[in-house]
Amino acid sequence: MSFNQVNQNLTKNRSEMADLQNQAATQKRINKPSDDPLASARVLTARTEERGNTQFIKNINNARSFLEFSDQSLSELTEILVRAKELAVSQSNDASGNEESRMVTASEIEQIYNQSIQIGNRKLGERYIFGGQKTQNTPFNQTGEYFGNDSDMKIQTQKDSFVAMNLPGSKVFLGRGLGGDGIVRAQYETPTDVESLKDFQNQEIERQQINEEVDSNFLTTRGPASESGRQSRADRQDPVTGSVGVNLFSTLKNLEISLKTNDKSGVQEALDTLDQAISQVVLARSEVGSRIMAVNSTNDSLQKAVVDNKVTASQLEDADAFQVISDINKTDSTLKATLETSGKLIQPSLLDFLR
């Protein structure tokens, strides 16, 4: 009976010593779920949230790069449109312009047109930023024809929360999806969960099919002789939203033709359209800016959540080094005392050696 009791105490003390030595080596109070089941569950939850938030932060960094590059491109587009308007103003009357100066100015407008095409075909890495979801296809050809789509690229920034990381070129350069005030706006509410995202995607597919049908039935017309051969397009409203915007490429091309043909009235007409085009791009840029602010705010919240989760997990599972060392010394003293006491209680006899 005494031997069994002593053996049980020794086993218990040695097990406690092994656990404490393991804690000292790993600096962790919890090394397996059985050490503290409740705390282990909370640590697992904190780590799961931390990994999810870390991935959301990566998504946000990706979206922010896309949005900031879009903002930079829209800033350059605004500058060249302002320059185009300055040139149009200078050539809109006979006091500051004549046939020769208008021909020279037309060459600069042509360069501005080419620059706007280049901006529309900007790439970040291997993806075009103004192609909608068709990021591998060149959005615009040299005539300004659009080969992307009208859909935004959605990226998840939080649980059940998505944000658009781009503006399709059809909105910025062709004026599709714009209200009568020129403000770039989403056709529908931004999806907040997976189901609404699926509905949104289906609606966007239907919208794109309608737009493609309208494009296939669209005819380019030429104005009367009094318009000096300037190209004009029939006013078109978005078939879904009824919105109206300005085609930047047509605006610049019409201005170029008016200058080449010395059409003063055509140059004057281009001024109002250029104002609308500039407002369209500025408001598109403000939309991008608001998205950048939103993702930055979300990023700050996620960064704080990551730190909080790490602190929570650390408080639950990390071992107190001083406490562990103290417990090791205490357990070691107990183990030595148990061995010494057991040696006195169980005196070996000759029969013990003969067994």
Side-chain angles (χ1 to χ4, degrees):
M1 181 69 178
S2 298
F3 175 79
N4 291 335
Q5 184 67 40
V6 169
N7 187 52
Q8 184 178 355
N9 291 337
L10 287 174
T11 301
K12 179 182 177 182
N13 290 335
R14 285 169 178 164
S15 177
E16 290 178 357
M17 178 62 75
D19 288 340
L20 290 170
Q21 288 174 340
N22 192 29
Q23 289 183 25
T26 62
Q27 295 296 305
K28 299 292 183 183
R29 183 179 67 86
I30 302 174
N31 290 289
K32 54 184 182 295
S34 59
D35 291 339
D36 190 336
L38 181 59
S40 295
R42 293 177 62 189
V43 168
L44 180 61
T45 300
R47 284 180 173 170
T48 301
E49 291 181 358
E50 179 188 343
R51 292 191 185 99
N53 290 336
T54 300
Q55 182 58 52
F56 290 146
I57 290 173
K58 291 180 181 179
N59 292 350
I60 286 175
N61 290 335
N62 185 28
R64 183 163 50 194
S65 298
F66 224 82
L67 289 168
E68 288 178 348
F69 189 57
S70 298
D71 181 64
Q72 176 186 338
S73 300
L74 292 176
S75 175
E76 295 177 23
L77 183 60
T78 303
E79 290 178 2
I80 63 174
L81 288 176
V82 169
R83 175 57 181 166
K85 184 184 176 183
E86 291 175 353
L87 294 172
V89 169
S90 68
Q91 301 301 316
S92 62
N93 57 76
D94 293 330
S96 57
N98 53 48
E99 183 176 358
E100 183 179 351
S101 65
R102 288 179 183 129
M103 185 62 69
V104 173
T105 303
S107 298
E108 186 170 350
I109 294 297
E110 183 180 5
Q111 293 301 316
I112 290 175
Y113 175 87
N114 292 333
Q115 283 181 264
S116 64
I117 292 289
Q118 292 172 2
I119 292 174
N121 290 331
R122 286 273 175 87
K123 294 175 71 175
L124 180 61
E126 297 299 321
R127 297 189 293 178
Y128 291 95
I129 63 174
F130 292 117
Q133 292 182 349
K134 295 184 177 180
T135 58
Q136 301 301 314
N137 300 332
T138 304
F140 298 99
N141 61 14
Q142 194 57 33
T143 62
E145 186 178 358
Y146 186 58
F147 294 96
N149 61 26
D150 298 340
S151 301
D152 296 327
M153 291 191 297
K154 303 289 182 179
I155 193 165
Q156 190 172 11
T157 57
Q158 281 182 309
K159 184 179 180 181
D160 298 330
S161 178
F162 299 82
V163 67
M165 60 183 286
N166 72 323
L167 280 178
S170 58
K171 293 182 179 179
V172 178
F173 295 88
L174 306 183
R176 295 181 191 167
L178 305 183
D181 53 3
I183 296 177
V184 180
R185 53 172 61 86
Q187 178 189 347
Y188 305 102
E189 293 293 330
T190 300
T192 56
D193 54 43
V194 176
E195 288 300 321
S196 61
L197 178 61
K198 291 180 180 178
D199 292 339
F200 177 86
Q201 291 172 337
N202 292 333
Q203 291 166 345
E204 282 294 294
I205 292 173
E206 181 180 355
R207 166 186 166 82
Q208 184 180 348
Q209 291 173 344
I210 295 174
N211 281 337
E212 288 176 352
E213 182 178 350
V214 172
D215 283 337
S216 65
N217 296 328
F218 180 77
L219 296 177
T220 301
T221 62
R222 295 183 65 87
S226 61
E227 296 189 12
S228 305
R230 286 182 290 111
Q231 293 179 344
S232 63
R233 297 186 66 177
D235 291 337
R236 184 185 71 177
Q237 288 188 335
D238 188 291
V240 176
T241 65
S243 61
V244 179
V246 176
N247 187 320
L248 271 62
F249 302 126
S250 295
T251 299
L252 292 171
K253 185 58 68 175
N254 287 344
L255 175 59
E256 179 190 345
I257 293 174
S258 296
L259 290 167
K260 286 182 176 179
T261 56
N262 195 29
D263 182 4
K264 183 176 65 175
S265 62
V267 175
Q268 293 171 348
E269 290 175 6
L271 292 176
D272 288 338
T273 311
L274 281 171
D275 280 334
Q276 295 177 44
I278 293 170
S279 297
Q280 180 172 300
V281 176
V282 169
L283 290 168
R285 190 182 177 192
S286 70
E287 174 71 13
V288 172
S290 66
R291 292 179 186 177
I292 292 175
M293 290 181 61
V295 297
N296 284 340
S297 177
T298 303
N299 182 69
D300 292 341
S301 299
L302 291 173
Q303 293 282 7
K304 184 178 183 302
V306 168
V307 173
D308 290 343
N309 284 324
K310 286 182 177 179
V311 170
T312 299
S314 176
Q315 291 175 341
L316 290 170
E317 69 175 352
D318 287 355
D320 185 339
F322 294 103
Q323 184 64 43
V324 170
I325 292 173
S326 175
D327 290 342
I328 287 176
N329 291 332
K330 185 188 299 183
T331 303
D332 183 59
S333 299
T334 303
L335 181 59
K336 289 179 179 178
T338 301
L339 290 171
E340 184 177 349
T341 303
S342 63
K344 293 179 180 179
L345 290 176
I346 305 175
Q347 294 292 337
S349 64
L350 181 60
L351 292 176
D352 294 324
F353 291 103
L354 294 176
R355 287 177 182 177

